[in-house]
Structures are given as structure tokens and as C-alpha cells.
Amino acid sequence: MTKTRYFFNICILRFLPVVLILLSQRSFVSAQTAPQWVNNKAAAFPDAQWICVVESGRDRNAAQGAAMNALAQVFKVDVQAMTNTAQSFARVVSSSGDKKIAAFTENKAFAQDVTASSNVSGLIGVQSDYWTASDGTVYVNARMNRRECAARYSAMIGENDKVIGLLKQEAERSPASFDAFESLSFALNVAELTDNFQTLLEVLDASAASKRPAYGNANTVRTLAQNAARSIVITIQVDGDVNSRISKALAAYFTRKGFRTNISGSNSYLLSAALELEDVDSANRNKFVRYLLTASIANNEGREVFSYSGNGREGHASVSEARQRVLRVVEASIGSTESRGFAAEFDAYLESLLK
């Protein structure tokens, strides 16, 4: 044996224990790097206490999106429909000012959660943890504590049930009115969201299936809202109309909302409108026509409850075609949800009735 080989063997024997210790420590660290929930979520978050899903993705956003969708699937809810309903409800509550519904604590908290959260499923009380593997794969667990989340959903359902009850009472005090229609329309919005809450609660706590809210379900409230709409009769009168085009446009808009319209006879409201068309002198070779549409709605006691005014102008090589363009613009403006449209201003009026 040469001196070199002898020296090499001595070094191996001397440092082998150290190498083995380092390798053992590295193996131990590697085993501890991945959280328990990555390989055994049931042990980390027992099903009796948690609803938990684990998903992975190429980055954090992808992993989070997959986890949130997987969590929603556990509850068997339509993710997009629930999100849209929740956001619509949150917008109304957040801008409610002195509306009675704003007095409910859980509703306010929920509106704030929906506004601040990027959670696509609209679920409440979701907790998340992340871990990135050595190859860059991101793992995420999304979970909900059954007891804590069930308590919060129960509180939301209870408060919303009270809100719906109050809105139904208000509608009963003013039948065949815009007030009743808007109260029940908003009650339907709340009921649709609360139906979702009830579905989630029953997954979190199976015993909740025997504790339905007093309002019943959204279909019950929808029937009330539809009946309230049909009970409203609007008589439409338009001065300066052209071939009844404006009257028909107004009638079509109100019909889409579920109201009824007539030309004469008993009514809940009288809509008096006037259309003015005026030729405009212009140095331009085109001919212009200006329009002014005004409208006023009065209840059956003769009190004005809504007014509207819209104007604009259209041009063409001929006056007759300019007038046709103006009429088409007026017709479109009646059903428009743009800021100056009749529909937008009337919808804003209806929302104001909740105050």
C-alpha cells in the first residue's frame, strides 16, 4: 500500500462519521421542509373540524385559483353566480347610507370582505397556507373551520332573514307601488344570496338542514316580487309623439321590468311625457335636428315621484333623415343604462326608495 493510498483511507475513516451526520441532517431537513398538509392533509386538518383542499400550480396565483375552485366544488355551488350575487349585494350594502339594511353588523362585515377579497368563490372565512417546492411548484391549502364558519354563516342567514321580513312588511304597507316593487326586488337579491349561504352552512353543519329561514327560499320571494310588479299599472301619455314611437319605447321598457301599461283607465301611476323636435340652423352642409324629451311620473294621488329630461341633436344631409336619426336616438335613450339614459335614472330612483 502506498503512502498516498494509506493517507486517503485514513482521511475517509476520520471524516466518514461527519459525512454521515451531515447527510442524515440534510435528509431530516428535507423531510421537514414540506408541511404536513402537503402529503397528509387529513392529519393536519381533520375532516371533523375542517373542510380543506390542497392544490398546486406553477406559481402562487395559479395554485390559489385552483384551490379556491376546488373548495367551491366541495360546496357544489356555482362559483361565478355566487360571486356575482355577492358582489351585487355588497355594492348595495356598501353604498346604503342610512338604509335600514346597513344597521345589520354581519351584512356590513360581509360587504367589506367581498370588497377587499380576491377570493373568486365568494366564500367567507377561508384560510390559506403556501409552500414552494425545490422545483418551483407552489402548493396551497385552502380551508374553512367548520365550527367558526358555520357560526358566521348562521349569523348572516339570521340577519338576512330579518331584512327580508322587514322588506316584505314595507311592501305590504304600500301595495301596487314602486316602493313595494323595489323592496321586494331587493328582498329577492338578499334571498338569492342567503339561499347560497344556507347551502354552504348545510355542508359545514349537516344539522342546519332542519333549520330553514322563515322567508322560505328565493323562489318564494321571487313570486312576491313578480306579483308586485304586475300590480303596477302605468298610463303613458306623450305630447309631440311621432307614430307612437316614444310611447311604445316607454311601454317596452316598463314591460321588461314586469310592470303593466295602458292608455286609459285605472292606473297606479301616470307618466306624462313631451317630445320637442327643433331644426337647427348650421353653416355645415348637414342639417341638424335637436330634441328635448321630458317626462314626469305621478302616483294615483297626483304627487310627482319621478322626473326626467334628456336632450341632444343629430345631423344628416336631409332634415327628414336627421329627424329619423333623432327619433332612433330618443328611443334608444329610453332603454339606456348610460348615465343620462331614462332607464339609468329611473333605476337610480328605484334604488333611492330603499332609504
Side-chain angles (χ1 to χ4, degrees), residues 59-326:
D59 55 37
R60 182 163 174 163
N61 288 337
Q64 182 185 29
M68 298 313 302
N69 283 318
L71 189 60
Q73 290 173 14
V74 172
F75 291 96
K76 298 180 180 179
V77 295
D78 185 322
V79 175
Q80 193 57 52
M82 182 175 178
T83 301
N84 292 342
T85 303
Q87 290 175 345
S88 174
F89 179 79
R91 281 195 300 271
V92 175
V93 174
S94 298
S95 61
S96 60
D98 60 350
K99 294 172 187 171
K100 287 179 283 298
I101 193 171
F104 292 86
T105 304
E106 292 295 332
N107 283 310
K108 285 183 177 179
F110 171 69
Q112 292 171 354
D113 282 354
V114 171
T115 302
S117 176
S118 60
N119 181 347
V120 296
S121 67
L123 298 172
I124 296 175
V126 178
Q127 302 177 43
S128 298
D129 286 317
Y130 300 86
W131 177 72
T132 303
S134 59
D135 64 357
T137 301
V138 178
Y139 293 82
V140 58
N141 82 62
R143 63 190 184 276
M144 296 172 66
N145 182 278
R146 289 182 181 272
R147 181 179 59 80
E148 293 176 359
C149 292
R152 187 166 180 191
Y153 277 114
S154 293
M156 283 291 301
I157 292 169
E159 289 192 352
N160 288 353
D161 198 17
K162 292 179 184 177
V163 169
I164 293 170
L166 288 173
L167 292 168
K168 288 169 63 177
Q169 290 175 13
E170 288 193 358
E172 290 170 357
R173 286 194 290 268
S174 54
S177 69
F178 292 142
D179 300 78
F181 167 76
E182 186 62 15
S183 291
L184 291 173
S185 294
F186 188 67
L188 175 58
N189 189 315
V190 179
E192 289 174 340
L193 182 65
T194 310
D195 276 8
N196 280 323
F197 286 165
Q198 182 68 25
T199 298
L200 301 176
L201 177 60
E202 291 175 12
V203 175
L204 292 163
D205 178 6
S207 67
S210 61
K211 306 170 187 175
R212 296 289 307 181
Y215 72 85
N217 56 45
N219 286 334
T220 302
V221 182
R222 181 176 292 105
T223 298
L224 293 175
Q226 290 171 342
N227 290 338
R230 282 194 292 267
S231 70
I232 295 173
V233 181
I234 305 171
T235 296
I236 299 173
Q237 298 176 350
V238 181
D239 291 336
D241 205 346
V242 178
N243 298 324
S244 300
R245 291 175 62 169
I246 307 307
S247 298
K248 291 177 181 178
L250 289 166
Y253 165 69
F254 288 123
T255 298
R256 287 195 299 272
K257 297 191 79 66
F259 305 150
R260 291 185 293 155
T261 61
N262 67 358
I263 302 303
S264 62
S266 62
N267 59 71
S268 308
Y269 295 92
L270 173 63
L271 187 156
S272 300
L275 174 66
E276 298 179 19
L277 301 179
E278 179 186 6
D279 297 344
V280 180
D281 291 332
S282 173
N284 192 300
R285 65 180 181 178
N286 282 339
K287 309 300 181 182
F288 288 87
V289 175
R290 179 185 295 120
Y291 78 87
L292 173 64
L293 176 67
T294 57
S296 174
I297 300 179
N299 61 19
N300 55 14
E301 298 175 350
R303 180 173 62 85
E304 182 182 86
V305 297
F306 172 76
S307 63
Y308 170 81
S309 178
N311 62 82
R313 73 172 192 171
E314 289 295 317
H316 194 266
S318 69
V319 173
S320 61
E321 183 56 34
R323 283 177 172 264
Q324 290 303 312
R325 286 191 172 188
V326 159

